[in-house]
Amino acid sequence: MDDAQMDLQSLANLFATTYNPDPNVQKTGELQIRKIGAQEGMLTALLQIIASDGVELATRQACSVYLKNRVHTSYILPSTPRPDHVPIAQSDRTALKANILPLLSASPSRAVTVQLAATLKDLVAHDFPDRWSSLLDDVKRLLGSGDVREVGAGVVAALECVRAFRFRQKADVLPGIIATLFPTLVTIADGMLNTSPSQPASQEIPAMLHLILKTYKTAIIVNLSPHQQSPESLVPWGRLLFRVVGMAVPAEGVPTDEEDRERCEWWKAKKWAYGILGRLFHRFGNPSQLPSPMQKEYGVFAEDFVTTFAPEIFKVYLHQVELYVSRQAWLGKKCQYQIFQFFTECIKPKSTWILLKPHVDSLVANFAFPQLAFNASKQAMWEADPVEYVRASVDEYENFSSPVSGATSFLLSLASNRTKTAFLPMLQFINTVLRSNPTPAQRFGALTMMSALGPFIVRHPDVKGSIEQFMVQYVLPEFTSQEPYLRSVACEVLGVVTKAGITWASEENLNSHSRAVALALDDHELPVRVQAALAITELVIVHDSVRDAVSPQVGKVVQDLLKLSDETDLDILNHSMEAMVDRFKTELLPVASQLTARLCESYLRLAREGLAQQNETIPDSIDVESLVTDGDDDKVYGAMGVAKTIGTVVSCIESSPEILSQVQEVIIPIIRFTLENKLIDLFDNMYDLVDALTFRLHAISPNMWPVFELTYDLFKSDAVDFLDEMLPSLDNFVSYGTDVLKARPDYRSKVLDMYRTAMTSPQLGDNDKINGCKLAESMLLNLHGHVDDQLQDIINIAADHIDKGETSSFRLANLEILVNAVLYNASAALHFMETYKPGFSRTFFDRWFAAINSDNKLPRVHDKQLSILALCKLLEMEASVIPEGLRDGWPGIVGGALNIFKTLPQAVASGSCIISSVRCWRISWLKGTMMKMRTTLDILNLEGDEDEDVWDEDSAYLEILAKEGARLREKSEKAETGDDESDISEESDIEEELGFFSVLDKINPYVTFQQALQTFQNQNSALYQAATTMLTVERQTVLMEVVTMASQTDHV
């Protein structure tokens, strides 16, 4: 640091202010730190403070946080750094690399270690191996030390070395790290397991063991290195993993509370061991499921692994399950999940299925089924927090550490992949449980299992005919059970089989179930009401008779849904609400405003809560990582769901403009609230609403214009990259708010400024520039005669980009701004082009006619109509104002227009075909979507040899992903070496934009061209003569067809 630097004690005192309880002291300290933070020597001084035992621990921690953040943001500057962004000086870089490992060895606390480890990862990622060649030797020296703290630091350093390159596709750095450090790591871990948990160092042992195993797992996220594939590595690591899995942890070594035990270091180590074994088999060691791009690298390894290693894993796991089931050993939930995942992976390959097959019935009955039964922990959650119970049960299958999720996946895979062997025995098991005087908890488990298998049962030819009787015998009675969880699962089963497509032979049976679920909507237990709401939704969607029965009470049902949604914030209830609104459009029309008001109240509550949580998590300290929190995610997602439901209401009442106008006034406040408070995660939903309202009403209400102003302000500040979401709404403001825009030059200037920013901002790419062009085009088309003062600016911006852009889509969009300028005012446009640069109008014509005369450079109907109408404007110009440099090519305008006319009918037909296809798709969407959904997870394997390898949709999907990944890697590697000969833009064809409307759609190009041709003949007879004389026979034929079409239109 320079002469103004302070001594270490003063610097330590300054950092102590960052956790001072007085916010003013804290703020002053932070400002001072920012002021001196970029000075050379600052980080070196912080390293000394962190190393000093004489400094208070909290201060050392604050320094380590600052150090981590400074290195993360400034060690390597971004490609476009901020002006105030100062890189770290070389002297500080040298000090960092010299001191970071010793500091880790002497770290005074876990909190400081975490910050130093993150710092090390960034140093490794940026400097290893080229600028830090001694790193691995230094880490290895720590690992070989006899000091437990140095070994611990070496283990942490090894993990960070691997983490720095864990997602690197190219196998150039990580394999060397693995080959150097992993033999030492496995030896250390083996030695740790030989130490008794009662020895003094035993508390550090599980923590280090956990980190060593985490290091191995981190190393195999993308690739398995050659060293790891070799027997010299696989055998000792495999032996270690089996020892950890089979290790009986003494009671005195773990907490008595099961949740605390799950989190203790010994069980974390076990969890990582299970995870490694599962990953090795799933990604690298399963030859029948190994994607073809991975065969070359891992094929030999996979064949060996599945025959020699996988059977040992299976044997060890099965033994652990037997101990757990017989209550001889405890098994953590995450470990249970990993075991279920491995057994599930064993189902499809023939070699492991043969091992699993004899144990399937036992595993289903004794390991999977107990996970589904109602138990004490579920009861406790139901009573203490029913909302959390609902959330956990509804999202259970998505919980990747839940044994319930693992058990369910296991059952589903058995049903779909080994149907002939496993499916009917599982159904027989369910029936046996229900017929053997089961406890309520067991009945819950059997019905939960039924719910999981329901889609398969409805499709299986041997059992689908008996499902109705099952419902009457075992499900219907539970609607009146004394146990609320049985009433809940009864609703769940009914919803599942209804969605899956159960066929009711008896209308009375259907009515009995629908009446029962309708009564359950008023149950005093919240989880029952939620499941009832989901079930009644499915019934209403599928069965018209249920819809008709619910119709008189739909207002109450919707109110119940709203209340439940407010109580739980479950997104799935928003989907139910959408379905109800869509199914009861007519009935809900009179109360649409009240319904929308309730939905807006829910949205505002969720948005405010999310905003409050967001603000609460912004501390005054300097730890920028603490700004990142997912605490408000649930609220934000809930608000998204409500906004989507509001959008459904809007779409359902578009036939009634008066009611839609009322609804719009109810919605505008939530739009303004979201934009004013910069709730960026919700912008997409809000602009969908703005677009829907303004488009359907074809008008901009006075209260909607502040939304336009907010949109401009946001685009110019926090939301510059949201133009794609904003564009449809902005286009509607221009298209349907023309009277206001014509009267408000400031509004027109805002639109022009957004176009300019989109075209010139370094933050935005071609897609945003295309959106900017669409906005400028909307101005030129809709505000004729009111953009005169801005025409020169628009032309200049487009001219600046005439040969720029990586995609043909942008180059066409930019060219068409100049075409639009010609259509707006042909003589002024050509004059401004020449003002921009003499001869530029000729440059423009060359680019334009190159597109006109090509086969596919004007691919869409709009492109063709725009060029035809602009050419017509040119034909109507007086000879005296035609630029001298263009006169010789002027006769070619007629031929150019005819060239477009030749392809226009085909483009119109193609566009109509697309629109027709979309309409047909929309009509069949509700029924078709349900059938398509049922063909994914619930396909039954009833063909072929039951014991052969199974290749299903999941396998095919992984194959596609692997091939695409290989293609992208190859392309990236070729680009790095300069060997990539593919087209840089590599883009798809420009296609018709569905839902695109333009004022040009109202103009008949045939009539317009005929009239322009007549004007051309009257005003410029010599040029007209030249133009028609030079026409080929083919173009003369096209001209006759155009004139015929025009006369037919006039006649009509």
Side-chain angles (χ1 to χ4, degrees), residues 660-683:
L660 186 56
S661 295
Q662 297 171 5
V663 165
Q664 175 179 252
E665 298 307 311
V666 175
I667 295 174
I668 287 176
I670 71 166
I671 297 172
R672 293 188 58 176
F673 176 86
T674 304
L675 302 184
E676 287 166 355
N677 288 280
K678 300 178 181 178
L679 294 170
I680 289 179
D681 289 336
L682 297 168
F683 278 10

PDB file of all heavy atoms in Angstrom, residues 660-683:
ATOM      1  N   LEU A 660     -63.708  -7.283 -20.234  1.00  0.00           N
ATOM      2  CA  LEU A 660     -62.252  -7.301 -20.339  1.00  0.00           C
ATOM      3  C   LEU A 660     -61.663  -5.939 -19.948  1.00  0.00           C
ATOM      4  O   LEU A 660     -60.620  -5.870 -19.297  1.00  0.00           O
ATOM      5  CB  LEU A 660     -61.833  -7.673 -21.758  1.00  0.00           C
ATOM      6  CG  LEU A 660     -60.332  -7.876 -21.999  1.00  0.00           C
ATOM      7  CD1 LEU A 660     -59.769  -8.935 -21.059  1.00  0.00           C
ATOM      8  CD2 LEU A 660     -60.069  -8.270 -23.455  1.00  0.00           C
ATOM      9  N   SER A 661     -62.353  -4.856 -20.327  1.00  0.00           N
ATOM     10  CA  SER A 661     -61.894  -3.516 -19.946  1.00  0.00           C
ATOM     11  C   SER A 661     -61.931  -3.338 -18.430  1.00  0.00           C
ATOM     12  O   SER A 661     -61.020  -2.736 -17.833  1.00  0.00           O
ATOM     13  CB  SER A 661     -62.763  -2.444 -20.609  1.00  0.00           C
ATOM     14  OG  SER A 661     -62.620  -2.483 -22.013  1.00  0.00           O
ATOM     15  N   GLN A 662     -62.971  -3.874 -17.789  1.00  0.00           N
ATOM     16  CA  GLN A 662     -63.054  -3.801 -16.327  1.00  0.00           C
ATOM     17  C   GLN A 662     -61.924  -4.601 -15.682  1.00  0.00           C
ATOM     18  O   GLN A 662     -61.281  -4.150 -14.729  1.00  0.00           O
ATOM     19  CB  GLN A 662     -64.404  -4.329 -15.848  1.00  0.00           C
ATOM     20  CG  GLN A 662     -65.606  -3.523 -16.316  1.00  0.00           C
ATOM     21  CD  GLN A 662     -66.924  -4.224 -16.002  1.00  0.00           C
ATOM     22  OE1 GLN A 662     -66.945  -5.260 -15.348  1.00  0.00           O
ATOM     23  NE2 GLN A 662     -68.022  -3.668 -16.512  1.00  0.00           N
ATOM     24  N   VAL A 663     -61.715  -5.791 -16.223  1.00  0.00           N
ATOM     25  CA  VAL A 663     -60.658  -6.652 -15.690  1.00  0.00           C
ATOM     26  C   VAL A 663     -59.294  -5.978 -15.855  1.00  0.00           C
ATOM     27  O   VAL A 663     -58.433  -6.054 -14.969  1.00  0.00           O
ATOM     28  CB  VAL A 663     -60.696  -8.026 -16.389  1.00  0.00           C
ATOM     29  CG1 VAL A 663     -59.414  -8.812 -16.140  1.00  0.00           C
ATOM     30  CG2 VAL A 663     -61.902  -8.821 -15.928  1.00  0.00           C
ATOM     31  N   GLN A 664     -59.085  -5.314 -16.983  1.00  0.00           N
ATOM     32  CA  GLN A 664     -57.808  -4.639 -17.219  1.00  0.00           C
ATOM     33  C   GLN A 664     -57.510  -3.618 -16.119  1.00  0.00           C
ATOM     34  O   GLN A 664     -56.381  -3.545 -15.622  1.00  0.00           O
ATOM     35  CB  GLN A 664     -57.822  -3.944 -18.575  1.00  0.00           C
ATOM     36  CG  GLN A 664     -56.573  -3.111 -18.838  1.00  0.00           C
ATOM     37  CD  GLN A 664     -56.586  -2.451 -20.195  1.00  0.00           C
ATOM     38  OE1 GLN A 664     -55.846  -2.845 -21.086  1.00  0.00           O
ATOM     39  NE2 GLN A 664     -57.430  -1.454 -20.368  1.00  0.00           N
ATOM     40  N   GLU A 665     -58.515  -2.856 -15.731  1.00  0.00           N
ATOM     41  CA  GLU A 665     -58.301  -1.835 -14.699  1.00  0.00           C
ATOM     42  C   GLU A 665     -57.949  -2.471 -13.357  1.00  0.00           C
ATOM     43  O   GLU A 665     -57.254  -1.865 -12.542  1.00  0.00           O
ATOM     44  CB  GLU A 665     -59.536  -0.953 -14.564  1.00  0.00           C
ATOM     45  CG  GLU A 665     -59.886  -0.172 -15.828  1.00  0.00           C
ATOM     46  CD  GLU A 665     -58.706   0.631 -16.355  1.00  0.00           C
ATOM     47  OE1 GLU A 665     -58.065   1.357 -15.567  1.00  0.00           O
ATOM     48  OE2 GLU A 665     -58.399   0.512 -17.559  1.00  0.00           O
ATOM     49  N   VAL A 666     -58.430  -3.698 -13.136  1.00  0.00           N
ATOM     50  CA  VAL A 666     -58.092  -4.420 -11.901  1.00  0.00           C
ATOM     51  C   VAL A 666     -56.652  -4.915 -11.951  1.00  0.00           C
ATOM     52  O   VAL A 666     -55.954  -4.947 -10.923  1.00  0.00           O
ATOM     53  CB  VAL A 666     -59.058  -5.609 -11.690  1.00  0.00           C
ATOM     54  CG1 VAL A 666     -58.641  -6.441 -10.491  1.00  0.00           C
ATOM     55  CG2 VAL A 666     -60.489  -5.113 -11.510  1.00  0.00           C
ATOM     56  N   ILE A 667     -56.181  -5.275 -13.147  1.00  0.00           N
ATOM     57  CA  ILE A 667     -54.855  -5.882 -13.301  1.00  0.00           C
ATOM     58  C   ILE A 667     -53.743  -4.839 -13.344  1.00  0.00           C
ATOM     59  O   ILE A 667     -52.628  -5.098 -12.866  1.00  0.00           O
ATOM     60  CB  ILE A 667     -54.833  -6.744 -14.582  1.00  0.00           C
ATOM     61  CG1 ILE A 667     -55.797  -7.930 -14.447  1.00  0.00           C
ATOM     62  CG2 ILE A 667     -53.428  -7.255 -14.881  1.00  0.00           C
ATOM     63  CD1 ILE A 667     -55.952  -8.743 -15.725  1.00  0.00           C
ATOM     64  N   ILE A 668     -54.012  -3.668 -13.899  1.00  0.00           N
ATOM     65  CA  ILE A 668     -52.949  -2.676 -14.102  1.00  0.00           C
ATOM     66  C   ILE A 668     -52.164  -2.377 -12.816  1.00  0.00           C
ATOM     67  O   ILE A 668     -50.930  -2.275 -12.854  1.00  0.00           O
ATOM     68  CB  ILE A 668     -53.524  -1.380 -14.727  1.00  0.00           C
ATOM     69  CG1 ILE A 668     -53.858  -1.635 -16.214  1.00  0.00           C
ATOM     70  CG2 ILE A 668     -52.547  -0.223 -14.598  1.00  0.00           C
ATOM     71  CD1 ILE A 668     -54.532  -0.463 -16.911  1.00  0.00           C
ATOM     72  N   PRO A 669     -52.812  -2.252 -11.639  1.00  0.00           N
ATOM     73  CA  PRO A 669     -52.016  -1.964 -10.425  1.00  0.00           C
ATOM     74  C   PRO A 669     -50.959  -3.008 -10.112  1.00  0.00           C
ATOM     75  O   PRO A 669     -49.865  -2.661  -9.645  1.00  0.00           O
ATOM     76  CB  PRO A 669     -53.082  -1.893  -9.323  1.00  0.00           C
ATOM     77  CG  PRO A 669     -54.333  -1.477 -10.037  1.00  0.00           C
ATOM     78  CD  PRO A 669     -54.263  -2.146 -11.368  1.00  0.00           C
ATOM     79  N   ILE A 670     -51.232  -4.298 -10.364  1.00  0.00           N
ATOM     80  CA  ILE A 670     -50.203  -5.299 -10.048  1.00  0.00           C
ATOM     81  C   ILE A 670     -49.061  -5.231 -11.062  1.00  0.00           C
ATOM     82  O   ILE A 670     -47.907  -5.519 -10.731  1.00  0.00           O
ATOM     83  CB  ILE A 670     -50.781  -6.729  -9.969  1.00  0.00           C
ATOM     84  CG1 ILE A 670     -51.172  -7.267 -11.347  1.00  0.00           C
ATOM     85  CG2 ILE A 670     -51.943  -6.806  -9.007  1.00  0.00           C
ATOM     86  CD1 ILE A 670     -51.430  -8.767 -11.367  1.00  0.00           C
ATOM     87  N   ILE A 671     -49.395  -4.828 -12.289  1.00  0.00           N
ATOM     88  CA  ILE A 671     -48.338  -4.652 -13.288  1.00  0.00           C
ATOM     89  C   ILE A 671     -47.427  -3.508 -12.868  1.00  0.00           C
ATOM     90  O   ILE A 671     -46.196  -3.639 -12.859  1.00  0.00           O
ATOM     91  CB  ILE A 671     -48.949  -4.384 -14.680  1.00  0.00           C
ATOM     92  CG1 ILE A 671     -49.780  -5.588 -15.150  1.00  0.00           C
ATOM     93  CG2 ILE A 671     -47.858  -4.055 -15.695  1.00  0.00           C
ATOM     94  CD1 ILE A 671     -50.571  -5.334 -16.418  1.00  0.00           C
ATOM     95  N   ARG A 672     -48.023  -2.402 -12.475  1.00  0.00           N
ATOM     96  CA  ARG A 672     -47.226  -1.240 -12.062  1.00  0.00           C
ATOM     97  C   ARG A 672     -46.416  -1.552 -10.811  1.00  0.00           C
ATOM     98  O   ARG A 672     -45.246  -1.173 -10.715  1.00  0.00           O
ATOM     99  CB  ARG A 672     -48.145  -0.036 -11.832  1.00  0.00           C
ATOM    100  CG  ARG A 672     -48.789   0.482 -13.105  1.00  0.00           C
ATOM    101  CD  ARG A 672     -49.531   1.786 -12.895  1.00  0.00           C
ATOM    102  NE  ARG A 672     -48.655   2.843 -12.372  1.00  0.00           N
ATOM    103  CZ  ARG A 672     -49.038   4.095 -12.171  1.00  0.00           C
ATOM    104  NH1 ARG A 672     -50.297   4.451 -12.444  1.00  0.00           N
ATOM    105  NH2 ARG A 672     -48.204   4.992 -11.712  1.00  0.00           N
ATOM    106  N   PHE A 673     -47.023  -2.262  -9.855  1.00  0.00           N
ATOM    107  CA  PHE A 673     -46.305  -2.619  -8.631  1.00  0.00           C
ATOM    108  C   PHE A 673     -45.055  -3.437  -8.970  1.00  0.00           C
ATOM    109  O   PHE A 673     -43.971  -3.194  -8.428  1.00  0.00           O
ATOM    110  CB  PHE A 673     -47.213  -3.420  -7.696  1.00  0.00           C
ATOM    111  CG  PHE A 673     -46.523  -3.924  -6.452  1.00  0.00           C
ATOM    112  CD1 PHE A 673     -46.436  -3.120  -5.325  1.00  0.00           C
ATOM    113  CD2 PHE A 673     -45.940  -5.191  -6.415  1.00  0.00           C
ATOM    114  CE1 PHE A 673     -45.784  -3.568  -4.183  1.00  0.00           C
ATOM    115  CE2 PHE A 673     -45.289  -5.644  -5.290  1.00  0.00           C
ATOM    116  CZ  PHE A 673     -45.212  -4.834  -4.157  1.00  0.00           C
ATOM    117  N   THR A 674     -45.214  -4.399  -9.853  1.00  0.00           N
ATOM    118  CA  THR A 674     -44.095  -5.275 -10.220  1.00  0.00           C
ATOM    119  C   THR A 674     -42.981  -4.490 -10.895  1.00  0.00           C
ATOM    120  O   THR A 674     -41.796  -4.665 -10.579  1.00  0.00           O
ATOM    121  CB  THR A 674     -44.586  -6.387 -11.157  1.00  0.00           C
ATOM    122  OG1 THR A 674     -45.666  -7.094 -10.526  1.00  0.00           O
ATOM    123  CG2 THR A 674     -43.474  -7.371 -11.476  1.00  0.00           C
ATOM    124  N   LEU A 675     -43.355  -3.627 -11.833  1.00  0.00           N
ATOM    125  CA  LEU A 675     -42.350  -2.863 -12.561  1.00  0.00           C
ATOM    126  C   LEU A 675     -41.700  -1.812 -11.674  1.00  0.00           C
ATOM    127  O   LEU A 675     -40.479  -1.614 -11.714  1.00  0.00           O
ATOM    128  CB  LEU A 675     -42.977  -2.211 -13.798  1.00  0.00           C
ATOM    129  CG  LEU A 675     -43.634  -3.156 -14.813  1.00  0.00           C
ATOM    130  CD1 LEU A 675     -44.128  -2.384 -16.027  1.00  0.00           C
ATOM    131  CD2 LEU A 675     -42.682  -4.262 -15.245  1.00  0.00           C
ATOM    132  N   GLU A 676     -42.505  -1.134 -10.861  1.00  0.00           N
ATOM    133  CA  GLU A 676     -41.962  -0.076  -9.992  1.00  0.00           C
ATOM    134  C   GLU A 676     -40.985  -0.642  -8.969  1.00  0.00           C
ATOM    135  O   GLU A 676     -39.994   0.001  -8.614  1.00  0.00           O
ATOM    136  CB  GLU A 676     -43.101   0.661  -9.280  1.00  0.00           C
ATOM    137  CG  GLU A 676     -43.887   1.582 -10.214  1.00  0.00           C
ATOM    138  CD  GLU A 676     -45.204   2.039  -9.599  1.00  0.00           C
ATOM    139  OE1 GLU A 676     -45.539   1.560  -8.487  1.00  0.00           O
ATOM    140  OE2 GLU A 676     -45.895   2.854 -10.230  1.00  0.00           O
ATOM    141  N   ASN A 677     -41.268  -1.848  -8.486  1.00  0.00           N
ATOM    142  CA  ASN A 677     -40.397  -2.462  -7.485  1.00  0.00           C
ATOM    143  C   ASN A 677     -39.323  -3.353  -8.102  1.00  0.00           C
ATOM    144  O   ASN A 677     -38.590  -4.036  -7.381  1.00  0.00           O
ATOM    145  CB  ASN A 677     -41.228  -3.267  -6.485  1.00  0.00           C
ATOM    146  CG  ASN A 677     -42.024  -2.374  -5.551  1.00  0.00           C
ATOM    147  OD1 ASN A 677     -41.483  -1.856  -4.583  1.00  0.00           O
ATOM    148  ND2 ASN A 677     -43.301  -2.182  -5.851  1.00  0.00           N
ATOM    149  N   LYS A 678     -39.266  -3.341  -9.434  1.00  0.00           N
ATOM    150  CA  LYS A 678     -38.214  -4.050 -10.166  1.00  0.00           C
ATOM    151  C   LYS A 678     -38.119  -5.518  -9.775  1.00  0.00           C
ATOM    152  O   LYS A 678     -37.033  -6.050  -9.528  1.00  0.00           O
ATOM    153  CB  LYS A 678     -36.874  -3.347  -9.961  1.00  0.00           C
ATOM    154  CG  LYS A 678     -36.874  -1.901 -10.449  1.00  0.00           C
ATOM    155  CD  LYS A 678     -35.557  -1.202 -10.209  1.00  0.00           C
ATOM    156  CE  LYS A 678     -35.632   0.245 -10.703  1.00  0.00           C
ATOM    157  NZ  LYS A 678     -34.380   0.982 -10.455  1.00  0.00           N
ATOM    158  N   LEU A 679     -39.277  -6.182  -9.723  1.00  0.00           N
ATOM    159  CA  LEU A 679     -39.320  -7.616  -9.452  1.00  0.00           C
ATOM    160  C   LEU A 679     -39.042  -8.342 -10.768  1.00  0.00           C
ATOM    161  O   LEU A 679     -39.952  -8.846 -11.442  1.00  0.00           O
ATOM    162  CB  LEU A 679     -40.678  -8.007  -8.867  1.00  0.00           C
ATOM    163  CG  LEU A 679     -40.972  -7.423  -7.478  1.00  0.00           C
ATOM    164  CD1 LEU A 679     -42.419  -7.650  -7.087  1.00  0.00           C
ATOM    165  CD2 LEU A 679     -40.050  -8.042  -6.433  1.00  0.00           C
ATOM    166  N   ILE A 680     -37.781  -8.384 -11.136  1.00  0.00           N
ATOM    167  CA  ILE A 680     -37.369  -8.811 -12.473  1.00  0.00           C
ATOM    168  C   ILE A 680     -37.830 -10.225 -12.799  1.00  0.00           C
ATOM    169  O   ILE A 680     -38.182 -10.527 -13.943  1.00  0.00           O
ATOM    170  CB  ILE A 680     -35.841  -8.666 -12.618  1.00  0.00           C
ATOM    171  CG1 ILE A 680     -35.497  -7.175 -12.686  1.00  0.00           C
ATOM    172  CG2 ILE A 680     -35.329  -9.376 -13.855  1.00  0.00           C
ATOM    173  CD1 ILE A 680     -34.019  -6.884 -12.818  1.00  0.00           C
ATOM    174  N   ASP A 681     -37.856 -11.094 -11.796  1.00  0.00           N
ATOM    175  CA  ASP A 681     -38.273 -12.477 -12.051  1.00  0.00           C
ATOM    176  C   ASP A 681     -39.712 -12.577 -12.544  1.00  0.00           C
ATOM    177  O   ASP A 681     -40.106 -13.590 -13.116  1.00  0.00           O
ATOM    178  CB  ASP A 681     -38.118 -13.321 -10.785  1.00  0.00           C
ATOM    179  CG  ASP A 681     -36.658 -13.570 -10.437  1.00  0.00           C
ATOM    180  OD1 ASP A 681     -35.825 -13.512 -11.363  1.00  0.00           O
ATOM    181  OD2 ASP A 681     -36.347 -13.800  -9.260  1.00  0.00           O
ATOM    182  N   LEU A 682     -40.499 -11.522 -12.298  1.00  0.00           N
ATOM    183  CA  LEU A 682     -41.913 -11.549 -12.661  1.00  0.00           C
ATOM    184  C   LEU A 682     -42.208 -10.694 -13.905  1.00  0.00           C
ATOM    185  O   LEU A 682     -43.362 -10.586 -14.309  1.00  0.00           O
ATOM    186  CB  LEU A 682     -42.767 -11.061 -11.486  1.00  0.00           C
ATOM    187  CG  LEU A 682     -42.682 -11.944 -10.235  1.00  0.00           C
ATOM    188  CD1 LEU A 682     -43.311 -11.234  -9.035  1.00  0.00           C
ATOM    189  CD2 LEU A 682     -43.377 -13.272 -10.463  1.00  0.00           C
ATOM    190  N   PHE A 683     -41.177 -10.082 -14.477  1.00  0.00           N
ATOM    191  CA  PHE A 683     -41.397  -9.217 -15.639  1.00  0.00           C
ATOM    192  C   PHE A 683     -42.024  -9.980 -16.798  1.00  0.00           C
ATOM    193  O   PHE A 683     -42.922  -9.480 -17.478  1.00  0.00           O
ATOM    194  CB  PHE A 683     -40.065  -8.608 -16.092  1.00  0.00           C
ATOM    195  CG  PHE A 683     -39.645  -7.391 -15.305  1.00  0.00           C
ATOM    196  CD1 PHE A 683     -40.314  -7.023 -14.152  1.00  0.00           C
ATOM    197  CD2 PHE A 683     -38.565  -6.622 -15.711  1.00  0.00           C
ATOM    198  CE1 PHE A 683     -39.929  -5.916 -13.422  1.00  0.00           C
ATOM    199  CE2 PHE A 683     -38.170  -5.505 -14.997  1.00  0.00           C
ATOM    200  CZ  PHE A 683     -38.846  -5.152 -13.850  1.00  0.00           C
TER     201      PHE A 683
END
